[in-house]
Amino acid sequence: GVLMACPMNAYLEQELEKRFRLFRFWQVPQKPQFLKDHAASIRAVVGSSVAGADAELIEALPRLEIVSSFSVGLDKIDLGKCREKGIRVTNTPDVLTEDVADLAIGLCLAVLRRICASDKYVRSGKWKKGDFRLTTKFTGKTVGIIGLGRIGTAIAKRAEAFNCPISYYSRTEKPDCKYKYYPSVVELASNCHILIVACPLTPETRHIINREVIDALGPKGVLINIGRGPHVDEPELVSALVEGRLGGAGLDVYEHEPEVPEELFGLENVVLLPHVGSGTVETRNAMADLVLGNLEAHFTNKPLLTPVV
Ligand code: 8YV
């Protein structure tokens, strides 16, 4: 049997149903009783950025062999516990890189050029009555990227086409990298106009965007987060935006999804998206196929397509 941790994708659910005995964990009213009754038959968990396999679930599934995540991010999976127990882990890298990078650039343009506020201005009929304030140019602005992995690199490539000087922070400097390296996030934030979070969420990167970083970015600076909500100290971000100490923000992720701080709803310099970085039909289908392909490979003793553990 396969346990789906949360709802994710209709096509994936349908294909899992065809191939396995599928359990939908979110529909289970009495989880402890369900685990008593079915744990012995569950050999795989399919998770996502919403829910995966924490230590408690892993302990409750003695026959678990593989956790296949419908996400590139692995923060909802206890990787240490999986390693310890010999449980395989897979994710969905590469197939979503372009979409997430596209959306990061979309957020830059949306925040600086006030695309959402302008759309609202037209729809509300205000255009006929008044004038609209000028916005800020994106081309040529300095872009700082936290995490120069697959997604960070794809964002950098796109920003280069807008003539943006690129700099980055990561734990170590990348050899043969043409972008400027800063060994601290505060230094990066002090030296860029737009700061983009594109690193994995780990205990080390939790709240990597704190008060000091926000102050370094300053009243002309813009924060873009396409990573994970907990990368940002959200109450600090909200007060900086409300008080005008930060120039703007484009957010696809939040600390307590689907809760979004309502103080942001009235701010025109903020663009709020509902965690849709990978959310195109094409990419979600490719992610589903990777999850299915990894399970298929595991259960037919073939090499996994995208193994993590
Ligand atoms: C998905 C994601 O939105 O890949 C990730 O890490 O956060 C996204 O691709 C998510 O996994 C579906 O909930």
Side-chain angles (χ1 to χ4, degrees):
V2 170
L3 178 68
M4 239 178 155
C6 55
M8 42 200 101
N9 176 274
Y11 161 69
L12 175 59
E13 208 171 310
Q14 187 189 312
E15 291 302 311
L16 286 170
E17 184 102 73
K18 278 189 207 159
R19 294 162 211 221
F20 306 98
R21 170 136 193 237
L22 182 62
F23 299 101
R24 295 170 176 82
F25 207 33
W26 69 96
Q27 290 179 353
V28 171
Q30 297 290 339
K31 295 196 167 55
Q33 187 57 47
F34 165 85
L35 290 169
K36 267 192 208 120
D37 295 342
H38 298 289
S41 72
I42 293 170
R43 294 168 65 195
V45 166
V46 174
S48 79
S49 65
V50 176
D54 57 13
E56 195 190 347
L57 183 62
I58 294 168
E59 290 295 350
L61 298 172
R63 297 200 51 210
L64 183 61
E65 296 167 18
I66 181 167
V67 179
S68 185
S69 196
F70 182 71
S71 68
V72 68
L74 296 159
D75 46 289
K76 287 290 198 293
I77 302 171
D78 192 324
L79 293 178
K81 189 134 264 34
C82 289
R83 260 182 219 113
E84 178 191 312
K85 295 192 172 274
I87 296 164
R88 307 301 310 275
V89 176
T90 66
N91 64 345
T92 60
D94 302 314
V95 294
L96 47 65
T97 300
E98 291 166 338
D99 277 0
V100 180
D102 290 352
L103 200 76
I105 298 297
L107 281 170
C108 293
L109 285 165
V111 173
L112 270 66
R113 300 304 304 271
R114 302 282 192 265
I115 293 176
C116 302
S118 305
D119 176 275
K120 201 172 145 197
Y121 177 79
V122 172
R123 290 179 199 231
S124 68
K126 285 189 181 144
W127 192 13
K128 295 196 189 78
K129 290 173 200 141
D131 65 336
F132 195 80
R133 264 179 297 150
L134 297 179
T135 62
T136 304
K137 182 169 176 151
F138 173 52
T139 287
K141 288 287 181 297
T142 50
V143 168
I145 301 174
I146 301 179
L148 206 61
R150 300 179 189 89
I151 293 172
T153 303
I155 294 170
K157 227 168 113 181
R158 284 158 176 72
E160 270 191 86
F162 288 88
N163 288 332
C164 297
I166 315 288
S167 48
Y168 71 101
Y169 163 82
S170 60
R171 281 171 300 178
T172 54
E173 187 169 2
K174 311 274 172 204
D176 306 317
C177 181
K178 58 185 163 179
Y179 309 128
K180 183 167 172 51
Y181 175 69
Y182 286 101
S184 92
V185 178
V186 173
E187 267 185 78
L188 177 67
S190 309
N191 289 286
C192 69
H193 189 117
I194 303 168
L195 184 62
I196 307 182
V197 183
C199 60
L201 178 64
T202 64
E204 292 74 40
T205 64
R206 187 176 173 272
H207 285 192
I208 198 164
I209 305 297
N210 55 23
R211 171 82 189 228
E212 202 190 347
V213 172
I214 292 168
D215 287 344
L217 201 51
K220 285 189 184 309
V222 169
L223 178 74
I224 303 292
N225 190 3
I226 49 79
R228 284 287 183 264
H231 280 128
V232 177
D233 184 333
E234 199 165 77
E236 285 292 353
L237 175 66
V238 169
S239 56
L241 286 165
V242 168
E243 293 162 22
R245 289 184 284 108
L246 181 67
L251 308 172
D252 189 37
V253 289
Y254 309 87
E255 265 199 295
H256 308 287
E257 293 171 16
E259 299 300 326
V260 178
E262 291 194 16
E263 297 97 307
L264 302 180
F265 288 7
L267 301 183
E268 296 205 335
N269 53 339
V270 176
V271 174
L272 304 168
L273 300 181
H275 199 151
V276 290
S278 70
T280 65
V281 173
E282 294 90 334
T283 291
R284 290 285 169 86
N285 284 343
M287 290 164 66
D289 283 333
L290 259 184
V291 169
L292 295 164
N294 276 305
L295 291 175
E296 160 100 20
H298 173 74
F299 288 118
T300 56
N301 292 313
K302 295 198 178 95
L304 299 178
L305 306 179
T306 49
V308 181
V309 173

